[in-house]
Amino acid sequence: MPPVKPMLAKSVAKIPPDMQYEAKWDGFRAIVFRDGDEVELGSRTGKPLTRYFPEVVAALKERLPERSVLDGEIVIAREGRLDFDALTERIHPADSRVRMLAEKTPASFVAFDLLALADESLTDVELSDRRRLLTRALEGVTAPVHLAPATTDIDVARQWFEQYEGAGLDGVIAKPLGVRYLQDERAMFKIKHERTADVVVAGYRFHKSGPIVGSLLLGLYDDRGALQHVGVSAAFAMKRRAELVEELEPLRMDDTAGHPWAAWAEESAHESARLPGAPSRWSGKKDLSWVPLRPERVVEVAYDHMENGARFRHTARFRRWRPDRDPHSCTYAQLEEPVGYDLAEIFGPVH
């Protein structure tokens, strides 16, 4: 019965040997519960996703075993690539908009684990046996439900890591063959793509614990010469957070007058862009006030994906200061694009 917390993965630099390998899907993790005509989609946090993906619910009701619990990923494909941004549009309070998007950009479900079948819980069964049961349970399944490809050949996994990124996938997951399903434990391994970019530091937010740096606000110049907010870098030791306040003090501005992001305080500005002071759809009323800095320092950060080609999807990772870089040379032109790879090559047409 829901909720069930998914088994998690910890990041490693290289693909480890002697495991089961799968692509890392770039979507919404979902635990699917089917009991006859009832289908529920549970998110990674336990909150239901059911109302946001009516077309997925209908497909699962037709294609899954009558009583089953599966772990997988909800994805949306456009023009042969996964489109994470289209997924985020589904998290909307208006049922009419959700149903309109379900027709316009229908989602799919990629199954990669089986947690229960009929009256039997499989969480204490080893992965290799769960995979065999999953393959049997989904034999002949049709889109928009898919069985995630898996292999125990590390050379194939390395090939997937290089090729599948072009279809919008996120890397490779490695799973020990004997692992049982351990809820909320990092019992698997993820190997993700990483790129670097030189970005402008144009402000920071205070840490929740006090007057030390919580996150650096990062920017890139667009082709019009405007500095756009592209995300944050936030993983610092507590000592380093305090040092950054002193280090950045000479750049601190008394107010936002003359700052490229001065318009963040105007409510109308948030209608067209995610600015540093804008409320997040995920955090609600969380305080996102910030300290403006003169945009004169450049930092190299590591990132994995961009949202809409405009901002880092996840928190960027600090690598080093770049005093040799002119801030105005930090533009979107430096961002890499993976070589295209058609998603249909992975498991046939995606609907």
Side-chain angles (χ1 to χ4, degrees):
M1 295 293 290
V4 169
K5 294 185 177 180
M7 184 163 65
L8 305 175
K10 54 187 173 184
S11 294
V12 293
K14 296 181 179 180
I15 301 176
D18 304 321
M19 295 195 181
Q20 176 178 295
Y21 309 103
E22 302 168 15
K24 187 176 185 303
W25 300 93
D26 191 22
F28 286 171
R29 185 78 175 272
I31 306 292
V32 172
F33 304 83
R34 186 193 173 192
D35 187 357
D37 288 337
E38 294 183 71
V39 174
E40 292 291 334
L41 308 178
S43 71
R44 174 173 170 171
T45 61
K47 295 180 180 179
L49 292 168
T50 313
R51 68 174 297 268
Y52 303 117
F53 297 97
E55 79 283 24
V56 173
V57 170
L60 293 170
K61 193 181 299 185
E62 292 179 358
R63 293 165 173 81
L64 293 191
E66 187 170 359
R67 299 185 64 232
S68 55
V69 181
L70 289 85
D71 188 2
E73 201 99 356
I74 298 172
V75 299
I76 289 179
R78 282 180 174 174
E79 299 178 355
R81 285 181 57 88
L82 297 183
D83 188 340
F84 186 84
D85 300 318
L87 276 175
T88 64
E89 294 175 3
R90 290 293 192 90
I91 310 304
H92 197 281
D95 184 66
S96 59
R97 178 168 176 79
V98 169
R99 293 192 176 277
M100 180 272 289
L101 291 172
E103 293 186 11
K104 181 180 178 182
T105 54
S108 302
F109 179 73
V110 182
F112 46 68
D113 213 334
L114 182 63
L115 310 190
L117 187 63
D119 292 328
E120 184 180 3
S121 170
L122 302 175
T123 55
D124 287 331
V125 174
E126 294 185 352
L127 171 70
S128 54
D129 290 328
R130 295 201 310 274
R131 176 70 192 189
R132 176 175 50 81
L133 291 169
L134 173 66
T135 302
R136 183 187 303 166
L138 295 186
E139 185 177 4
V141 74
T142 58
V145 178
H146 301 272
L147 173 64
T151 182
T152 55
D153 187 331
I154 193 170
D155 290 330
V156 172
R158 289 169 178 151
Q159 182 179 357
W160 288 355
F161 184 80
E162 296 300 329
Q163 289 186 336
Y164 283 6
E165 187 185 14
L169 278 74
D170 206 16
V172 166
I173 293 288
K175 303 178 178 180
L177 294 169
V179 72
R180 289 160 174 77
Y181 197 89
L182 304 174
Q183 293 188 46
D184 207 31
E185 292 190 29
R186 296 192 180 277
M188 308 181 293
F189 304 93
K190 57 185 177 183
I191 307 91
K192 298 179 66 175
H193 296 278
E194 180 178 275
R195 299 176 178 80
T196 61
D198 294 331
V199 294
V200 181
V201 177
Y204 64 84
R205 297 190 186 107
F206 282 117
H207 193 266
K208 59 184 179 181
S209 66
I212 56 177
V213 169
S215 59
L216 300 176
L217 301 177
L218 311 175
L220 285 173
Y221 284 95
D222 62 20
D223 54 9
R224 298 172 299 149
L227 186 66
Q228 300 293 339
H229 176 51
V230 295
V232 301
S233 181
F236 303 103
M238 295 303 286
K239 180 182 177 182
R240 181 59 180 148
R241 294 181 187 279
E243 293 172 347
L244 282 169
V245 173
E246 295 185 17
E247 195 171 333
L248 297 172
E249 182 61 28
L251 300 176
R252 185 167 178 170
M253 300 172 66
D254 294 333
D255 55 49
T256 59
H259 193 280
W261 299 335
W264 75 265
E266 301 173 15
E267 185 175 351
S268 61
H270 303 312
E271 297 175 2
S272 59
R274 282 284 301 278
L275 299 174
S280 163
R281 71 165 67 185
W282 307 109
S283 57
K285 298 181 180 179
K286 181 179 178 181
D287 180 16
L288 297 182
S289 57
W290 59 292
V291 176
L293 301 175
R294 296 196 309 277
E296 298 174 2
R297 294 202 73 176
V298 175
V299 63
E300 180 183 324
V301 296
Y303 69 98
D304 44 23
H305 283 288
M306 301 293 292
E307 283 187 0
N308 293 319
R311 59 181 286 119
F312 303 131
R313 181 184 307 163
H314 304 116
T315 301
R317 296 166 293 285
F318 183 98
R319 288 293 178 258
R320 56 177 176 149
W321 292 112
R322 290 295 307 269
D324 56 317
R325 285 294 300 265
D326 176 0
H328 285 87
S329 71
C330 298
T331 69
Y332 283 95
Q334 68 185 293
L335 303 182
E336 296 180 28
E337 285 293 330
V339 175
Y341 189 85
D342 192 344
L343 193 62
E345 295 292 327
I346 301 174
F347 47 37
V350 182
H351 303 296

